[in-house]
Amino acid sequence: MSAESTRPQLLPQNRKLRHLRGISLRNLAFTRPRGRTIDDAALNKSPAKLESLRNSPQIHHALSSEQLRPGPGRRRSTNLVGASPVTRQKRIEDTFDSKLADAFFSLHVEGEEEPVYISEVAERATNFNFSLFELSELDSTITQTPRVTIKIWTNRHDTWSLLLEDDVDLRALNWLGTMQNVHFPPNSLVFHMVDGIYSLELFNKYPPPKKMPPTPTSSYNALMRLATLDNSIQDALATRESLTRQINDLLAKETPNQVPVAQDSLALAEKYLAVQKRTVEASKTRNQELRASIEARRSAIAEGRALQERAETDVNNATEKLAHSKTLLARTKEQIHGQRRRICEDLDRIWRINSVSTPGTPPLTFTICDLPLPNTIYDDALLKGTGSDTLSAALGYVAQLTDNLQCYLGVPLPYPIRPYGSRSTIRDEISQLPDTQRDFPLYVPRGGSSAQYRFDYGWFLLNKDIETLCVSQGLKVVDIRHTLPNLKYLLYVCSAGTDEIPDRKRGGVRGLWAGRYRNLTVAGMTADDEASSFGGSRRGSDASSVVGGIGQRRGEDLRGRIIGGSTGNGGVAGFEEAEVKMTLRTKGMRESVAQ
């Protein structure tokens, strides 16, 4: 329906919220509107007072002396006389700014906490034409109400405030038709309905409907003929229904022919017979399958019972042997523990780790085979002269002892050790390093700071191996830098116990002596000299005393060569020769002990 129609199409009582399509605001003002009293404004919203509003003159507020209109010959102001154009322009802009504002409106319905519609924000204007909207998609309880609350919100000086709140009854709106050539009062609301434009304050008298000439219709005779034809049709329909009932009664009274019925019954019986035959055949097949399945299950049950009987027999036999096996297992574990105690005591006698209690010596200072080894922290003076050889030899002993302990304790080391005496190395297979840089020296290098760093890192890896051995035995390492204290603590705990240390297996001493005899040629000694070192107790001697005597004598011999410098070649060459001899002798003893 066009907004410029000449008269409304909806009756006042039929106007609902769903018919509202838009709202406009005219002559925005921030002062109290004039044109009617406050009480009249409230009364004019009632449909009962609509006619009285149209016929009564408008009531104005009383004006003060400052608000009286000046006479035609009086000047309004002389403030701008002689003012500059900039001042006048500024005054005009301020005047316009005082009347312009940003605005939007919201629609509220009784019973709803949130607004049913919020318009867009129109910026800097006094006349606002908000966008049209569609409310028919809302709930029917909202769209069918004739009353709505309209709130106008304005923004001046960056502050939003409620300018106008009006409760409008759509049934009391006045037909306006158009907004052209209409003088609206301040803050006037214009309602766009589906059939035209309405206002609350203004109204426009629309012309009465035009009288239409009478339209000719059918004559009386034609209407009578039409009624007669309708009666004839109804009589024909009733006659047809009566004939249908009579024919059905006659067919029901006559005797039907039994042959077709019998043929149909026979065909149906044959069909049922075929179905039953197929059902019987299927039942026979199913019966055979079930019989075969039952036989197979019986065979499986018989086999399961036989297997269960054999299992019970095996369980009974195993139960009888279980106590003996447990006793044997406990005795074997005890023997393994005893053998480990004995081996650890032998290792402790071979590689003598003793504490140093000399005044002025740092605490937790130990020696291995009478060679001092600091706890990772050492002075640069220790790396000069014979001190570097002593440090390398001590680390070689520690590396060889650690490598032996991993075999006897059954604990693989995370960092494999290659015990080569004073030239031992350790390999890092965990870190992301090139394969050529995985080996780290356990001896004092010669090559500057880089070589010194590799030596320190190799010593650190050796300490980590010792920590791994300690953790496997349930020991807590306080500081991994204490190399010899941790190793001594490990040997002490592994050799501790209240039971007696078991003897070696028969033949172990002879095997050890055979290994020692093969190594005599390397050390430059004869079998008689070696036999005399044990006081002629070759046969029947205790295995631990033999190993202890050998380790002690070779350790003292090596220590005398290192300290006294009485090697055959002198200097480092004699030291390396002694280390090679000691390594071969210890290897022979380890093979003998393993046998």
Side-chain angles (χ1 to χ4, degrees):
M1 183 65 65
S2 174
E4 300 295 336
S5 60
T6 58
R7 58 184 296 107
Q9 302 297 324
L10 294 174
L11 296 176
Q13 62 270 20
N14 292 337
R15 296 178 194 148
K16 306 296 182 182
L17 184 59
R18 65 176 181 270
H19 299 137
L20 184 61
R21 291 294 181 266
I23 293 177
S24 299
L25 178 64
R26 287 294 180 267
N27 295 337
L28 177 66
F30 296 94
T31 59
R32 186 172 60 179
R34 298 177 354 187
R36 67 172 69 90
T37 62
I38 298 178
D39 295 337
D40 290 340
L43 292 174
N44 290 337
K45 296 177 184 179
S46 174
K49 299 297 181 178
L50 179 60
E51 189 65 26
S52 62
L53 174 64
R54 295 176 179 175
N55 298 328
S56 61
Q58 295 182 351
I59 301 175
H60 299 275
H61 287 279
L63 300 178
S64 63
S65 59
E66 296 178 354
Q67 296 176 337
L68 291 176
R69 297 180 181 178
R74 181 181 175 184
R75 300 179 61 126
R76 291 186 59 85
S77 175
T78 59
N79 293 333
L80 298 180
V81 176
S84 63
V86 177
T87 303
R88 295 183 179 182
Q89 181 68 22
K90 181 63 176 177
R91 183 65 60 84
I92 294 174
E93 291 179 357
D94 293 341
T95 302
F96 276 103
D97 290 339
S98 64
K99 296 181 179 181
L100 300 179
D102 301 339
F104 72 93
F105 73 90
S106 59
L107 301 181
H108 302 263
V109 176
E110 184 179 0
E112 296 291 333
E113 297 182 357
E114 299 294 332
V116 297
Y117 178 75
I118 300 176
S119 70
E120 76 282 359
V121 177
E123 299 180 353
R124 294 184 60 79
T126 57
N127 297 326
F128 299 93
N129 293 323
F130 298 103
S131 300
L132 301 181
F133 50 82
E134 180 66 38
L135 301 179
S136 60
E137 297 180 357
L138 299 178
D139 189 75
S140 60
T141 58
I142 298 176
T143 59
Q144 293 179 4
T145 179
R147 303 186 66 89
V148 62
T149 301
I150 303 175
K151 295 183 180 180
I152 305 297
W153 303 84
T154 58
N155 179 18
R156 296 180 67 194
H157 310 295
D158 297 332
T159 302
W160 286 97
S161 60
L162 179 62
L163 175 66
L164 177 63
E165 181 176 355
D166 203 350
D167 187 9
V168 179
D169 190 346
L170 300 179
R171 297 170 295 184
L173 295 179
N174 301 321
W175 168 260
L176 193 60
T178 180
M179 292 190 297
Q180 297 179 1
N181 302 324
V182 178
H183 179 71
F184 293 95
N187 297 331
S188 178
L189 293 177
V190 180
F191 298 87
H192 299 267
M193 305 294 286
V194 294
D195 59 340
I197 299 176
Y198 290 80
S199 176
L200 193 61
E201 296 88 355
L202 305 177
F203 63 92
N204 186 11
K205 293 184 178 180
Y206 48 85
K210 297 180 181 180
K211 294 184 178 181
M212 302 298 293
T215 303
T217 60
S218 299
S219 63
Y220 174 78
N221 294 331
L223 294 176
M224 291 302 294
R225 287 196 298 270
L226 182 61
T228 304
L229 180 60
D230 182 65
N231 293 332
S232 300
I233 293 174
Q234 295 298 329
D235 292 339
L237 292 176
T239 303
R240 187 185 66 177
E241 292 294 333
S242 177
L243 293 175
T244 302
R245 287 194 300 269
Q246 292 177 6
I247 293 172
N248 291 332
D249 293 339
L250 292 175
L251 293 176
K253 292 179 180 180
E254 293 181 358
T255 303
N257 190 2
Q258 300 295 331
V259 176
V261 177
Q263 292 178 351
D264 295 339
S265 301
L266 178 60
L268 184 60
E270 291 178 352
K271 182 178 179 181
Y272 287 158
L273 180 60
V275 172
Q276 291 299 325
K277 287 182 178 180
R278 290 195 296 269
T279 304
V280 170
E281 293 295 334
S283 300
K284 290 181 179 180
T285 305
R286 178 61 179 169
N287 190 9
Q288 295 177 357
E289 292 177 355
L290 290 177
R291 289 179 182 275
S293 177
I294 291 174
E295 292 297 331
R297 292 182 182 183
R298 287 176 179 175
S299 302
I301 291 174
E303 293 178 359
R305 288 178 178 176
L307 182 61
Q308 186 176 2
E309 292 176 357
R310 289 196 299 270
E312 289 179 357
T313 304
D314 295 341
V315 168
N316 294 332
N317 296 334
T319 303
E320 296 175 358
K321 299 179 181 179
L322 180 61
H324 176 70
S325 299
K326 289 183 178 180
T327 304
L328 181 61
L329 177 62
R331 184 167 61 252
T332 303
K333 289 183 178 180
E334 184 179 356
Q335 291 176 358
I336 292 174
H337 180 66
Q339 293 296 333
R340 285 181 177 175
R341 286 179 54 201
R342 179 184 58 76
I343 292 173
C344 289
E345 284 194 359
D346 293 344
L347 294 177
D348 191 19
R349 283 194 294 267
I350 294 173
W351 288 278
R352 298 181 305 279
I353 302 176
N354 301 320
S355 61
V356 179
S357 58
T358 307
T361 304
L364 295 178
T365 301
F366 285 77
T367 61
I368 180 170
C369 295
D370 297 334
L371 297 179
L373 181 64
N375 293 326
T376 304
I377 302 175
Y378 52 86
D379 299 333
D380 294 338
L382 187 63
L383 304 178
K384 299 179 181 179
T386 59
S388 62
D389 296 337
T390 303
L391 181 61
S392 299
L395 287 176
Y397 286 144
V398 173
Q400 192 169 6
L401 176 57
T402 305
D403 185 61
N404 290 336
L405 282 175
Q406 76 164 337
C407 300
Y408 298 135
L409 298 181
V411 179
L413 298 178
Y415 305 101
I417 300 174
R418 297 178 180 178
Y420 295 146
S422 60
R423 290 297 180 267
S424 301
T425 60
I426 190 169
R427 185 173 179 83
D428 184 5
E429 297 286 356
I430 301 176
S431 302
Q432 300 292 335
L433 296 173
D435 191 65
T436 57
Q437 300 180 7
R438 292 187 180 275
D439 293 330
F440 295 89
L442 292 177
Y443 53 88
V444 179
R446 296 176 177 83
S449 60
S450 176
Q452 183 67 29
Y453 163 75
R454 294 182 63 80
F455 168 68
D456 293 339
Y457 187 70
W459 197 345
F460 167 75
L461 297 180
L462 179 62
N463 291 333
K464 293 298 290 184
D465 285 345
I466 297 175
E467 181 188 15
T468 302
L469 296 176
C470 293
V471 171
S472 67
Q473 302 303 314
L475 306 180
K476 183 178 181 180
V477 178
V478 179
D479 191 351
I480 65 172
R481 296 178 298 178
H482 298 164
T483 306
L484 289 181
N486 293 336
L487 202 55
K488 181 66 177 179
Y489 184 33
L490 176 63
L491 292 175
Y492 177 76
V493 172
C494 291
S495 60
T498 58
D499 299 336
E500 295 183 0
I501 298 176
D503 297 334
R504 291 181 182 275
K505 292 184 179 180
R506 184 173 301 177
V509 177
R510 290 194 297 273
L512 179 62
W513 182 258
R516 292 288 300 127
Y517 183 78
R518 287 195 300 270
N519 293 332
L520 288 180
T521 56
V522 179
M525 299 176 58
T526 62
D528 296 336
D529 295 336
E530 192 67 29
S532 62
S533 64
F534 298 122
S537 59
R538 177 180 178 184
R539 300 195 177 198
S541 61
D542 184 73
S544 60
S545 61
V546 173
V547 177
I550 295 173
Q552 182 177 4
R553 179 170 180 177
R554 291 311 168 198
E556 292 177 353
D557 180 53
L558 178 61
R559 184 172 65 255
R561 293 182 182 183
I562 294 174
I563 298 175
S566 59
T567 57
N569 298 329
V572 178
F575 174 75
E576 293 180 352
E577 181 183 358
E579 287 293 333
V580 172
K581 294 178 181 180
M582 185 62 189
T583 301
L584 295 175
R585 295 166 188 161
T586 308
K587 184 177 180 182
M589 288 187 292
R590 186 166 66 249
E591 293 176 352
S592 301
V593 171
Q595 294 176 359

